């Protein structure tokens, strides 16, 4: 843990690759989470178009169109540009600059060891992924996150290994560049401004922590840091970094915020994925949704209408859990187990509630789709805001590695 620097409202950064129309799994798994987070945190959500190129560089399609259409879907489900900053990765060149600087300090082994590196190369064997850019995927992700000094990164389980690389790169950066004259000066200033009696006590605690390295000795340091009067957050941070024996935390280590696992299975009961052909798209017209639900697998034990079933074994039930009100859910539970209802009946009720949820989303997608200039403007404003923020980080990063100031 970082020292007791008082934390402003927590910052959240997350990205999504624009690879085509989103489905219910994206909505329920990822976007509903974003909508909740934007109410409590300072959120930056972006379309990771450069990341899309790492795997689709041979057939990128119109990435700008894919990006705009994905933004339509975000807006339609309630991701709110008034609350969160919505932008496009390639619209903020600081991501690329930070990626370059971080690439200098990232050992190759860290990237080669990421499990998804080999897995993806095998899964996408029809493409040549032995490229520099694909190997650097996690470094680009790291730049995305660190450019905003994010605290929290909502990701699925498949991205956790990438976030671990992010944390290692941040740690290495701070270790390599966190000291230096500016840090030493800040530290001297902090010591001068702390009360002499406290300073003695502080030195004793630090010595104790260095020798024992125990959690309780670190706790003592943290509580002491909290008590020292009259220090700025930066001065406190410098003292904490000195105690830990690391440098100033120029780039804080972010924490993954695990997106609760896929709550909605696909229509065949497996994980919902466009490549499995088992997904229900946010843009699917009503008759298409109806047909997909009609042919959706149910509890295999219900061969005949008279066989009782168990909702816990049925993908349709998962949809009821997400979209149907309590009364319907009770009706399903009781009727399924007693064979009082048939699966067609059950699906009919689901369709009604799914339609209530999906209908307005479909309409709003249509609305934004018909107002592309409005969407572009939202993204442009988001890019400007994001860039202002990222520029501040890059200016610190440049000076930390000893490069000249820009402009
Ligand atoms: N790699 C992520 C995915 O495929 C998308 C992504 C790119 C991302 N940059 C990010 C997610 C930064 C979180 C933070 O899902
Ligand atoms: Fe599934 Fe509903 Fe059929 Fe039960 S009645 S098996 S919950 S579709």
């Amino acid at each position: 843990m970082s020292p007791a620097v008082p934390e402003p409202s927590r910052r959240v950064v997350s990205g999504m690759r624009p690879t085509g129309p989103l489905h219910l799994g994206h909505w329920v798994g990822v976007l509903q989470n974003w909508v909740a987070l934007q109410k409590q945190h300072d959120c930056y959500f972006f379309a990771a178009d450069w990341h899309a190129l790492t795997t689709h560089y041979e057939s990128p399609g119109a990435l700008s169109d894919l990006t705009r259409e994905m933004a339509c879907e975000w807006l339609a489900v309630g991701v709110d540009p008034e609350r969160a900053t919505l932008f496009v990765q390639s619209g903020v060149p600081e991501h690329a600059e930070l990626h370059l600087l971080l690439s200098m300090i990232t050992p190759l082994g860290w990237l080669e060891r990421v499990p998804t590196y080999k897995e993806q190369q095998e899964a996408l064997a029809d493409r040549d992924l032995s490229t520099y850019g694909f190997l650097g995927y996690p470094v680009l992700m790291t730049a995305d996150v660190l450019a905003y000094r994010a605290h929290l990164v909502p990701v699925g389980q498949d991205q956790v290994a990438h976030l671990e690389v992010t944390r290692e790169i941040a740690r290495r950066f701070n270790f390599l560049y966190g000291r230096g004259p500016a840090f030493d000066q800040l530290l001297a200033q902090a010591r001068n401004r702390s009360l002499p009696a406290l300073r003695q006590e502080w030195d004793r605690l630090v010595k104790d922590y260095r020798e024992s390295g125990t959690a309780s000795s670190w706790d003592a340091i943290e509580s002491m840091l909290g008590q020292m009067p009259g220090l700025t957050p930066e001065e406190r941070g410098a003292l904490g970094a000195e105690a830990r024996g690391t440098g100033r935390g120029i780039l804080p280590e972010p924490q993954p915020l695990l997106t609760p696992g896929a709550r909605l299975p696909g229509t065949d009961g497996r994980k919902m994925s466009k490549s499995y052909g088992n997904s229900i798209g946010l843009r699917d017209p009503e008759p298409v949704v109806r047909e997909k639900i009609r042919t959706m697998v149910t509890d295999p034990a219900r061969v005949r209408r008279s066989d009782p079933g168990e909702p816990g074994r049925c993908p349709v039930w998962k949809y009821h859990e997400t979209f149907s009100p309590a009364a319907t859910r009770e009706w399903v539970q009781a009727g399924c187990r007693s064979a009082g209802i048939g699966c067609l009946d059950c699906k009919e009720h689901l369709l009604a509630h799914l339609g209530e949820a999906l209908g307005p989303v479909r309409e709003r997608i249509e609305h934004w789709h018909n107002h592309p200039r409005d969407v572009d403007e939202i993204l442009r404003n988001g890019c400007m805001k994001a860039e202002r923020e990222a520029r501040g980080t890059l200016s610190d990063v440049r000076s930390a590695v000893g490069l000249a100031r820009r402009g």
Side-chain angles (χ1 to χ4, degrees), residues 298-299 302 309-311 314 316-317 320 332 336 341-343 346-347:
T298 60
D299 176 0
R302 289 205 79 180
E310 168 48 50
C314 177
V316 177
W317 166 248
H320 276 295
V332 172
C336 179
I341 63 171
C343 292
C346 182
K347 289 176 169 180

Side-chain angles (χ1 to χ4, degrees), residues 160-182:
V160 170
H162 290 151
L163 245 303
E164 196 43 50
V165 173
T166 296
R167 294 161 50 75
E168 280 176 318
I169 294 177
R171 209 172 303 147
R172 183 158 163 81
F173 186 95
N174 292 331
F175 172 73
L176 289 171
Y177 308 116
R179 283 177 170 270

Side-chain angles (χ1 to χ4, degrees), residues 64 78 276 304 357:
S64 61
Y276 290 164
R304 277 171 308 240

Side-chain angles (χ1 to χ4, degrees), residues 13-15 17 46 48 51 137 141 144-145 153 155 159:
V13 169
S14 199
R17 283 170 301 143
F46 66 95
H51 273 107
Y137 190 109
M141 247 181 100
D144 297 337
V145 172
V153 184
V155 285
Q159 300 292 318

Side-chain angles (χ1 to χ4, degrees), residues 281-293:
L282 293 183
R283 295 168 190 254
D284 284 353
E286 205 273 335
V288 173
V289 176
R290 171 169 289 272
E291 185 56 19
K292 287 181 175 175
I293 298 287

